[in-house]
Amino acid sequence: MLLSVDGIETFYGTFQALRRISLEVNGGEVVTILGANGAGKTTLLRTISGLVSPAAGSIRLSGEPLDNVAPDVIVKRGISQCPEGRMLFPEMSVQKNLETGRLRAQERTDSRRRDEAGGL
Ligand SMILES: Nc1ncnc2c1ncn2[C@@H]1O[C@H](COP(=O)(O)OP(=O)(O)OP(=O)(O)O)[C@@H](O)[C@H]1O
Ligand SMILES: [Mg+2]
């Protein structure tokens, strides 16, 4: 199994957005998450990507736990999110949009290296 989400519970403060969410994704599968506005679809994706931490449950990628793994490390392990239409540059090609995202990610990595090297 590629991705395993087991019994996830996610809160925003005291508000519980996800209750016991479980799903499995196997290699080559396309899985769709459906739900009403506010049902928790975005929260589930944010939890899988490590942007919010679940209070309970576990997430595994190829058997390896993703608990307490930083979002940028989760990206390096292979989980990425593609934004929906309004976050793209409509006047640019798909190729150019993808390249721009890659450049921004590279800039963030470079600036972190600069910070780690003492602000050079
Ligand atoms: N940052 C936040 N702080 C507090 N509550 C939030 C926050 N983000 C989302 N929520 C709440 O969590 C619940 C799930 O929201 P979420 O955005 O995950 O739903 P969604 O299924 O993606 O909705 P939509 O279809 O509108 O995109 C909603 O009740 C929402 O109001
Ligand atoms: Mg949403």
Side-chain angles (χ1 to χ4, degrees):
M1 187 190 318
L2 192 60
L3 179 67
S4 161
V5 174
D6 187 18
I8 286 299
E9 314 235 332
T10 298
F11 289 75
Y12 293 107
T14 56
F15 176 77
Q16 184 163 13
L18 298 184
R19 270 175 219 277
R20 295 185 302 281
I21 300 296
S22 301
L23 63 91
E24 293 176 355
V25 182
N26 291 297
E29 266 184 352
V30 175
V31 174
T32 302
I33 302 161
L34 298 175
N37 292 133
K41 304 175 296 292
T42 296
T43 302
L44 174 58
L45 294 179
R46 288 173 59 82
T47 306
I48 291 171
S49 288
L51 297 167
V52 287
S53 299
S58 68
I59 303 171
R60 288 174 175 270
L61 182 64
S62 302
E64 294 289 321
L66 290 185
D67 314 50
N68 297 316
V69 177
D72 60 321
V73 178
I74 290 176
V75 170
K76 285 186 188 123
R77 291 203 191 165
I79 296 186
S80 305
Q81 294 192 28
C82 295
E84 53 190 311
R86 61 180 177 263
M87 294 179 71
L88 297 172
F89 300 99
E91 70 283 3
M92 290 176 5
S93 66
V94 171
Q95 169 97 23
K96 204 75 189 151
N97 267 283
L98 290 170
E99 286 172 2
T100 302
R102 184 171 58 80
L103 287 173
R104 289 296 312 277
Q106 186 64 47
E107 275 170 23
R108 283 196 293 272
T109 306
D110 289 348
S111 70
R112 195 164 52 239
R113 286 205 189 108
R114 273 197 301 278
D115 291 345
E116 285 165 3
L120 295 175

